[in-house]
Amino acid sequence: MKKIPYGMSNFRAMREEGYLYVDKTMYIEKIENLNSKYLFFIRPRRFGKSLFLSTLENYYDINNEKDFEKLFGDLYIGKNPTKLKNSYMILKLNFSGLNTENKDQLKESFLLSVKNSINALLGRYEGILGNTEEIREKIDQITDINAVIMTLINEVKKVGKKIYLIIDEYDHFANDIIAMGESGFYREIVRASGFVRDFYETLKIGTESVIDRIFITGISPIMLDDLTSGFNIALNVTIDLSLNEMLGFTEEEVVKILEEVGIEEKENLINNLRELYDGYKFNKNAKTRVYNPDMVLYFLAQYKNTGGYPEYLIDDNVKTDYGRLNRLTMNEENKALLERIIKEEGIVAEIVTKFSFDRMYDEEYFISLLFYMGLLTIKDYKYNILELGIPNYVIKTMYWEYFGRKLKEENNIKYEMLEIAKAIWEMAFEGKIKNFIKFISEKVLKVLSNRDTIKFDEKYIKIILFSYLTMSNIYKPISEKETEGGYIDIYLEKDIRMPDVKYEWLIELKYVKKSDEKYIGEIIEKGKEQLKRYRESMQFKDKQNLKKALVVFIGKGDYKIFEE
């Protein structure tokens, strides 16, 4: 039985200490066969990038030849090694955690990070380089980043070796600067004679001698275009069809993981995991979707420890990353676009493979950024049109929480948490919906600004309902659930964490403008007939304790409820 490696990204430790390792080593062979030695590959946060880089590091490290069989023997690449195995000195850079307070402090911490990585290389290859103490002393005295890199290049050239350069979190500091809204700061370090651009130009020079291969990862292509003229050698393989499943877990892999970590009840668990964490596709022609690996391991670690479902379905380390949405929606255009995406659960758009900071607030670039962040994925491709959608349920809940939080902040909505919790509890255990709808009407809809009421329609109100329903972890709201009788506006299914919930709900939602109130009788009859058809559909016909309600909102906050 394997241990669950939640939060781990050290390949050697996982292999030596009995942790689960999902074999992705066939992709080492694939990336060697691509049409470039210098690769740029991005995926959302916490998607397995660092572990894959650690795998590359251990495979190519010249010092690991004696451990090759132990580390890789039972894996794909161990049985099918390439000629380049154990043939490089590894230089691994990681640009997370840099000081972005100002340009000078960023440059200083950038230099220190590079020096620390080079010192690690010197320690690892002391037997090859020989005079590592002299090299270290020389580098310690240098204050120019590019001179530091060139010093290392010259020393490696003397011993006739090659470097495999790995860069993790290449864009971390840039994303922090962007999140702070410091556009001038960003341009100063990346454009023209900025030190980041100069650094990459120096790496490009290094490829003429000892830097033989480069693999760069991050979460967005935001710097790629800005660095292009200084570093125009990297091939962006982010949406390469052959690499669609290189990171993330396929469903076949998830089934195998459950076996290896000793978890049973596979069918129900797989169905839940699929709904919660699956759905990612990074090439329009890919046949297979992948699960977010961090979320799956987080869930299974909690499940294994407690014997039940985790209280929270998403790791806070992932959730906090999406606070960046606040910065990306500072302008009204992007805010409106995001609301549209939340309402429609997707959008038709093309994915931009690289873009400059200056364009990141343009509609097509903003949508592409959501794709790279993992907040949208490829849903369908037909008639030469690309449709993007929200990957899975937990990402939907992030959107709903974001929407509810923004609505509350902008309209100064005030209420006691106990009030909403009690209203949802009554729905779940007493089968009464009145107080929940009353809360939405009086505490939310009636206090919205006139600007918000202009947007009113059934979908807008539905997202408001969802944003409050997800607070309780009692229900899993499902929008437009398909039945043979049509599409249910809202199906409130009991949350997997609350199996004791007594009542589930079918809700038909209607919105009537005050000016159209004369048609309300006709609308009510239509809504009742729809609910009757849904209730009689095969999937609900024999379901016990399933309540149904027609909720008609009139104008800004008046309402009528018909339930049974």
Side-chain angles (χ1 to χ4, degrees), residues 286-530:
K287 304 299 183 188
T288 304
R289 296 185 181 275
V290 294
Y291 291 69
N292 181 302
D294 178 86
M295 293 186 195
V296 169
L297 294 177
Y298 162 79
F299 182 101
L300 295 182
Q302 298 286 317
Y303 186 90
K304 188 85 171 172
N305 288 340
T306 64
Y309 292 107
E311 182 179 356
Y312 303 103
L313 295 176
I314 186 164
D315 175 8
D316 281 342
N317 289 322
V318 175
K319 200 169 183 177
T320 53
D321 290 331
Y322 298 101
R324 296 174 188 274
L325 278 176
N326 286 324
R327 177 58 200 165
L328 293 172
T329 54
M330 291 293 284
N331 61 331
E332 286 299 319
E333 293 79 10
N334 281 356
K335 185 186 169 198
L337 185 59
L338 191 64
E339 287 182 0
R340 178 179 151 202
I341 289 169
I342 296 171
K343 283 169 62 177
E344 303 296 335
E345 296 192 359
I347 195 167
V348 170
E350 286 299 317
I351 296 167
V352 181
T353 55
K354 66 177 183 177
F355 48 91
S356 167
F357 171 82
D358 294 331
R359 303 293 301 278
M360 65 177 278
Y361 294 104
D362 292 1
E363 179 173 316
E364 62 179 325
Y365 296 90
F366 172 65
I367 294 170
S368 293
L369 201 52
L370 296 178
F371 167 77
Y372 291 118
M373 291 172 68
L375 292 168
L376 288 175
T377 197
I378 295 171
K379 182 179 179 182
D380 201 2
Y381 180 68
K382 56 187 178 183
Y383 312 120
N384 211 31
I385 296 294
L386 189 66
E387 184 181 355
L388 301 178
I390 302 173
N392 48 52
Y393 180 73
V394 295
I395 301 300
K396 285 180 184 177
T397 64
M398 284 187 196
Y399 276 120
W400 297 335
E401 288 174 13
Y402 162 83
F403 181 89
R405 189 167 57 249
K406 293 292 281 187
L407 205 66
K408 183 179 179 182
E409 291 170 358
E410 293 174 1
N411 292 278
N412 196 28
I413 295 172
K414 294 180 180 179
Y415 56 87
E416 295 292 333
M417 281 299 297
L418 183 62
E419 187 178 1
I420 181 65
K422 184 172 182 255
I424 297 173
W425 192 267
E426 287 177 358
M427 290 176 65
F429 294 98
E430 297 177 17
K432 299 175 182 177
I433 197 173
K434 181 180 177 181
N435 283 335
F436 175 68
I437 299 302
K438 181 181 178 183
F439 170 88
I440 294 296
S441 172
E442 295 180 357
K443 300 293 176 131
V444 183
L445 299 183
K446 285 184 177 177
V447 301
L448 292 183
S449 67
N450 290 331
R451 183 186 63 180
D452 282 301
T453 56
I454 292 171
K455 308 172 193 173
F456 265 28
D457 59 19
E458 287 165 18
K459 288 184 177 179
Y460 191 79
I461 295 174
K462 185 193 298 185
I463 299 303
I464 293 174
L465 293 175
F466 281 9
S467 69
Y468 284 91
L469 283 164
T470 53
M471 289 180 182
S472 67
N473 295 342
I474 287 178
Y475 285 118
K476 181 178 72 175
I478 300 172
S479 176
E480 302 298 318
K481 184 174 178 64
E482 186 176 5
T483 70
E484 61 264 34
Y487 293 88
I488 304 167
D489 278 341
I490 301 173
Y491 171 42
L492 296 186
E493 183 178 58
K494 67 178 70 174
D495 192 284
I496 56 176
R497 295 161 291 181
M498 293 288 290
D500 297 331
V501 165
K502 184 175 181 180
Y503 296 101
E504 295 182 318
W505 287 83
L506 300 180
I507 300 173
E508 183 65 20
L509 185 65
K510 301 293 184 185
Y511 171 67
V512 183
K513 295 178 181 178
K514 277 287 187 183
S515 57
D516 292 331
E517 200 168 0
K518 57 182 175 291
Y519 302 115
I520 197 165
E522 181 182 334
I523 290 168
I524 289 170
E525 287 308 310
K526 182 181 177 182
K528 288 180 177 179
E529 176 58 33
Q530 286 173 299

Side-chain angles (χ1 to χ4, degrees), residues 178-378:
I178 291 166
M180 294 187 295
E182 299 286 349
S183 57
F185 183 3
Y186 172 86
R187 293 186 183 95
E188 192 176 358
I189 64 168
V190 175
R191 306 277 176 83
S193 58
F195 75 85
V196 175
R197 187 186 180 111
D198 290 345
F199 167 76
Y200 280 95
E201 285 181 348
T202 304
L203 295 183
K204 181 180 174 182
I205 293 169
T207 62
E208 297 170 6
S209 53
V210 303
I211 300 179
D212 190 55
R213 286 183 173 267
I214 302 175
F215 197 95
I216 302 173
T217 72
I219 64 163
S220 80
I222 198 70
M223 283 204 304
L224 193 59
D225 192 53
D226 292 322
L227 292 172
T228 292
S229 59
F231 191 71
N232 56 0
I233 58 174
L235 177 66
N236 186 354
V237 295
T238 298
I239 58 175
D240 190 289
L241 177 60
S242 67
L243 305 182
N244 182 68
E245 298 110 61
M246 187 166 83
L247 301 185
F249 298 149
T250 64
E251 184 152 312
E252 183 181 353
E253 288 167 339
V254 172
V255 171
K256 189 176 178 183
I257 287 169
L258 294 181
E259 292 174 0
E260 292 197 23
V261 301
I263 294 178
E264 297 181 357
E265 303 178 34
K266 282 189 292 189
E267 186 175 350
N268 286 338
L269 198 54
I270 283 291
N271 289 337
N272 288 327
L273 289 171
R274 183 189 306 123
E275 198 165 20
L276 293 172
Y277 307 128
D278 193 14
Y280 295 93
K281 189 162 78 165
F282 300 99
N283 181 283
K284 62 189 179 186
N285 296 313
K287 304 299 183 188
T288 304
R289 296 185 181 275
V290 294
Y291 291 69
N292 181 302
D294 178 86
M295 293 186 195
V296 169
L297 294 177
Y298 162 79
F299 182 101
L300 295 182
Q302 298 286 317
Y303 186 90
K304 188 85 171 172
N305 288 340
T306 64
Y309 292 107
E311 182 179 356
Y312 303 103
L313 295 176
I314 186 164
D315 175 8
D316 281 342
N317 289 322
V318 175
K319 200 169 183 177
T320 53
D321 290 331
Y322 298 101
R324 296 174 188 274
L325 278 176
N326 286 324
R327 177 58 200 165
L328 293 172
T329 54
M330 291 293 284
N331 61 331
E332 286 299 319
E333 293 79 10
N334 281 356
K335 185 186 169 198
L337 185 59
L338 191 64
E339 287 182 0
R340 178 179 151 202
I341 289 169
I342 296 171
K343 283 169 62 177
E344 303 296 335
E345 296 192 359
I347 195 167
V348 170
E350 286 299 317
I351 296 167
V352 181
T353 55
K354 66 177 183 177
F355 48 91
S356 167
F357 171 82
D358 294 331
R359 303 293 301 278
M360 65 177 278
Y361 294 104
D362 292 1
E363 179 173 316
E364 62 179 325
Y365 296 90
F366 172 65
I367 294 170
S368 293
L369 201 52
L370 296 178
F371 167 77
Y372 291 118
M373 291 172 68
L375 292 168
L376 288 175
T377 197
I378 295 171

